Each structure stands twice: as structure tokens, then as C-alpha cells.
Amino acid sequence: MVTTLTIRTWLAGGISILLLTGCVPAVPPDLIAAIEAIDQDLVALRAPEAAPEDYTRFAKQWVSLKSRVQTDDDLIRWPWESNDLEHELRQLHGEGWNTVSRLNRLQTTQRQQAESALSRLEARFLSINSHVESIEGRMALGGKPVHTDLLLKQARLFFDQKDYARAIHTAEQAGHALAAQTAVLTQELGRYADHQQVTSWQAIAKQTVDWSRAHQSTAIVVSKAERELTLYKHGRKVLSYPVRLGFNGIKAKRYQGDGATPEGRYRVTDLRGAGQTQFYRALVLDYPNAEDRWRFRVAQKLGTIASTSRIGGQIEIHGRENELMAQTLGCIMLDNADMASLFAQVSTGTPVAIVGALTRENAVALALAQLGDHHTDM
Amino acid sequence: MQLRQITVPLSLAILVAVGCAKPPSEQIDAAEKALKEAQQSGAATYSAEEYAKLEGSLTALRKEVTEQDGKLALFRDYGKVEQLAASAKTEGERVRTDAVKKKDEAKAAALQAQQVAQEAVNSTLALVGKAPVGKDRAALEAIKMDVETLKTSLGQIQTSIDKEDYPAAQSQSKAIHEKSQAVSAEIQGALAKVGKRKSSGAKR
């Protein structure tokens, strides 16, 4: 009797234990939730774009396993039975987690890379602009600074949108544009750093000063790089005045309307006092002279200047028309007080030498050298 | 004898019925077509996450078909295949619709940004039109060159739109708009400096 009861008790207990252990779900719900969380992380990390192959593999497997999870939902398995589905889900979870970690690292690296490249380029762009402004070489660059600026702005927009890959790519384009900008500047203004050219300018200035000494007369020398006009009397330096040039004054004048200030040996042909000029006093120069005309004809024949272009004229050394006027169309402009002083000391026939620079270490050459250094730093 | 007479034909009938189970080709083709159409609609770009999962559904479907095909004819059951195919087809259509919608939204946003940039450049060009002539124009020559570059840059937005690269079109538009506003402010500053006087025209 006792034996029968004991057997029954043992049987009931065993069945209950079996039922309890066998009722566990086919796949632990927290595992499903964990994979769903991984999926959300991958989406938040833009995995479909940043790691398309990895994400597609993950998604394919996830969809496939999810479908099996739904099918196996009503299955009861014994604890000692192997569970392939759970094993595969755990494997997928591990792979997904690895991808999330890798993407996190990649995103951090890309963000740092983009931020570093952008900051460096933005600083360099500002620095170049500052140098260009200081030598008034903006016109020489044409539309290049705007092009570079637009690319930098686009790169910054991509960065703000956390699209670091695209921000890096656009920053690289901006870097190339900046390099092209520096190359154009060197090409256009490289003559200021050319020793032979500077020597030639020095010779022109010296001849003018020598003439002043020989003829016991006055002479004017203008250095475009230093924005300075020097008055010589009997071969001796008397006064120096700061000047403004044309809006493209740093370049050598080639044709009418280019905004450049001519370079060469000229003479004052007329003195215009109050009421005779729109400016406060003006000294009219004999631009274009024979050499200018010859250069212009050659350039037209070579096709570097359009056949419809004109050589221009009315190049003057003048005062301001109004106090806010900052640049000219190619003339040399002085403050009115300086102009009054100069006007009183020159006469018709006074020689005027306009040169690019008088020293090898001129402002433009130094600015170009600094830009070169920056370029090497990149 | 009577039992045998009934059992044999019945078994044969069951065998024929079960043994003739074939994959639901039409439904599978419809699901594959839905995937292809979703891909052609740009889903891989505009609904990348959904599209990847759709590809997953198709992979599961193909796997199930292969699994059933590998079984003995008597044991083949394409019920789950039918279910998966129907679900993939519905999902494919949804992903396609979603991608088309997102693409249209991206295009609309890019076109709107393009218009804003265009208007900003036009407004800057109008300001340049007010610039003085003669000697005073010197102050604005460099700025005018910038405006011309901005005008040319507008073409790049259209190129990106034509290539359906709407994020690029949007960023280009925003950059042009921003730069255009900066240039406008610079022109206004320069105009204020040179005043409204008209100078005599001069060569040089």
C-alpha cells in the first residue's frame, strides 16, 4: 500500500517537473528583444548606408529566423533537446553586436576625421583669404574662392547631418579647390617672387632716380607690392606716401577695364587742379606709351587678349573723389592731403616709374611664401 | 474484399493528391517581382532598412522552397511557401510605395531648396544692378565676380537633381543661399560706402 502510494507520488512529482521544465518557450523572449534592440541600433548608426553588406546579411538572417520563431512558437521542447534556432539567434545577436561596435568605432573615427579636416581647411581658407586681401589679390583668383567656400559650407552641412563619409568626401574636394586657388595665386603673382623680375624693376626705379639726380629735378617711383609712392628730388628720397591701386592693381595692366595698374616708365603729361578733375587734384600720365602699345599688339596677335579689347587710358595719380573710396579702376590714388603736397612739387614731364616691387622680400612675395608654407603643412 | 476495394483507390487518390504538390510559382514570381519593383523605385536608397528586410523575406522564401523541393514528393508541403510569398509580395509593395513617397519628398525638398537659392542669387544680382557706374564701380568689381560665380554654381544643383542625388542638391542649395546672403550684405555695405552719386565714366 505504502509502496503504491510512494510510486504514485514519485510519478506525479516527476510528471509535474517534466511539464514545468518542458513548458519553457522555444526561444527566450529577452533574446528576441535584444536582437530587436541591435536592429534599432544598426538603423540609428545608418548601417544600411554605412555597412550595406553587413546590414543586408543581418536583416536577411533576422527576417528568416523571426519567421522560424513564429512557426516554432507553439512547440514544447524538452530541456535536454538541442535548440538550433536559439543557437542561430544567439549567433546573429553576436554578429549584430559586433557590427554595432564596429560602426560605433567607425562613426567616431569618421567624425574625428571630418571635424579635423574641416577645421583645418576652414582655417586655411580664412588664412589664404586674409593674405589675398592684404595684397589685394582677390580679383586674380576669379571665382575660385567662392567655389571653395561653397564646398566648405556643403561639407559642414553634411557634418551637421552626421553624414561623416560625405562630409569627408566634400572636404577633400574643398582641399583640392584650395590647392588650385593657391596654384593660381602663385601663377598670377609669382613674378613678385621672381628675382630676375625684381632686379628688372629695381633697374627701372634706379634709372628714374638717376634721371632725377642728373637733371636736378623731381621723380616719382611707385611700388605696387608695398602700396607706396616715393618722391625723389635731385636723386634723393624726399617723401613717401601710401597709395591705393586699381581693383585688380596687383596685376600688370593688359587692356581697358581689367582694373590693373600699369607698370613701366611714364611721365606726367598734365596737372589738373581744382575744378579740372572729378578728384581732388590729378596728375595725368602718358599711359599707354610705346612699350604698352607694342605689348598690347603682341598679346592680341597671340590671342591672349580679345581682338575687340582696347588698351585703355587716362591713368592718373589722383586724390580721392570721396572719403570712402577704397579702390580705383587702375589709377594710383593718394589721400587728399598727400596729393596736395605731391601736386605742389611736380611738374609736367616729371618721370614716374611704376614697378611691381623694389625688394625681393616684398609683401606679395612674403605672402606667397607663407601660402607655400601652409600648403606644405597640409 | 470490399475493404480492399475501397482502401486501394483511396490510398492512390491520397497519394496523387499529396504527391502532386508543386511550388506556388505564380505567388513566388509575384513576390520576386515586388522585390524587383521596390529596388527599381530606389528603395535601397530611400528605404534601405525596409528593403534589406524585404530581401531577407525573399531569402527565407527561397530557402523554404528549396527545403520543400528537397523532400520526397509525398512529404512536400508548400503551405508555408504560399504564406511567405504572400507576405513578401505585400511587404514589397509597401516598401516600394514608401520608397517612392520618400524619394518624392526628397525631390520636393531639393527643388524647394533650389528655388530658395535661385531667389537669393536673383536678389543679389538685382542688388548688383543697382551698383554705380564709372569710377565708383571699382569697389564692387570683386563682389560682382563672386555673384557671377554663384550664378554659375546654380547649375550644379540642377546637375545633382538630374542625377537624383537630392541630398547633394539640398546641401549645394543651402550653401549657395548662405553665400548669396553674405555677398548681398557685402554689396549693401559697399553701396552705402560709395553712396548714390553717379560718377563720370572713364576708360583705364
Side-chain angles (χ1 to χ4, degrees), chain A residues 209-279:
Chain A
V209 176
D210 288 348
W211 186 94
S212 158
R213 188 180 298 113
H215 293 82
Q216 291 293 295
S217 180
T218 53
I220 292 169
V221 175
V222 178
S223 165
K224 297 208 299 185
E226 309 303 342
R227 303 281 190 284
E228 192 176 63
L229 182 151
T230 306
L231 177 71
Y232 289 87
K233 203 173 262 182
H234 307 163
R236 290 175 66 188
K237 189 174 173 179
V238 180
L239 283 166
S240 284
Y241 308 105
V243 295
R244 305 304 301 260
L245 305 172
F247 60 81
N248 198 14
I250 203 73
K251 291 181 76 178
K253 186 153 194 71
R254 299 176 66 225
Y255 54 89
Q256 185 179 319
D258 64 2
T261 299
E263 290 161 18
R265 275 178 283 247
Y266 302 98
R267 284 193 183 273
V268 174
T269 56
D270 195 11
L271 279 82
R272 291 183 181 163
Q276 295 173 307
T277 171
Q278 65 186 100
F279 306 106

Side-chain angles (χ1 to χ4, degrees), chain B residues 4 62 70 80 89 92 131 170:
Chain B
R4 190 180 286 176
R62 288 173 200 136
K80 195 180 169 191
K89 182 177 175 277
Q170 276 210 59

Side-chain angles (χ1 to χ4, degrees), chain A residues 39 43 48-49 55-56 58-64 66-68 71 88 125 138-147 149-151 153-154 157-158 161 163 166 247 253 255-260 278-279 287 311-316 318 321-322 324-331, chain B residues 44-45 48-50 52-60 62-63 80 83-84 134-143 145-147 149-150 153 156 165-180 182-183 186 192-195 197-204:
Chain A
D39 188 20
V43 172
E49 297 154 51
Y55 186 73
T56 304
F58 173 87
K60 277 181 181 176
Q61 219 173 333
W62 179 215
V63 170
S64 174
K66 217 191 293 192
S67 138
R68 275 175 61 191
T71 314
E88 283 179 52
F125 181 63
R138 191 171 166 186
M139 286 295 291
L141 288 171
K144 291 203 180 298
V146 171
H147 178 60
D149 197 10
L150 289 177
L151 284 170
K153 282 181 164 52
Q154 279 174 50
L157 282 164
F158 283 130
Q161 289 162 8
D163 191 346
R166 211 150 184 181
F247 60 81
K253 186 153 194 71
Y255 54 89
Q256 185 179 319
D258 64 2
Q278 65 186 100
F279 306 106
Y287 174 88
I311 195 167
Q314 292 186 27
I315 296 293
E316 302 171 349
H318 58 67
E321 189 184 10
N322 65 72
L324 296 165
M325 196 173 168
Q327 284 177 314
T328 73
L329 295 178
C331 295
Chain B
T45 307
E49 176 205 347
E50 304 284 302
K53 284 176 182 145
L54 178 65
E55 278 193 319
S57 302
L58 263 294
T59 306
R62 288 173 200 136
K63 200 176 163 189
K80 195 180 169 191
Q83 206 180 12
L84 287 171
K135 200 82 178 166
D136 284 345
R137 75 181 167 86
L140 285 161
E141 283 301 313
I143 306 175
M145 193 174 62
D146 289 354
V147 182
T149 311
L150 281 174
S153 303
Q156 289 171 0
D165 188 354
Y166 302 123
Q170 276 210 59
S171 75
Q172 283 162 342
S173 303
K174 281 179 188 168
I176 290 174
H177 177 236
E178 206 177 299
K179 182 71 186 169
S180 200
V183 174
E186 205 180 346
K193 274 186 182 176
V194 297
R197 291 167 304 100
K198 280 192 177 176
S199 306
S200 60
K203 20 185 196 178
R204 272 115 192 170

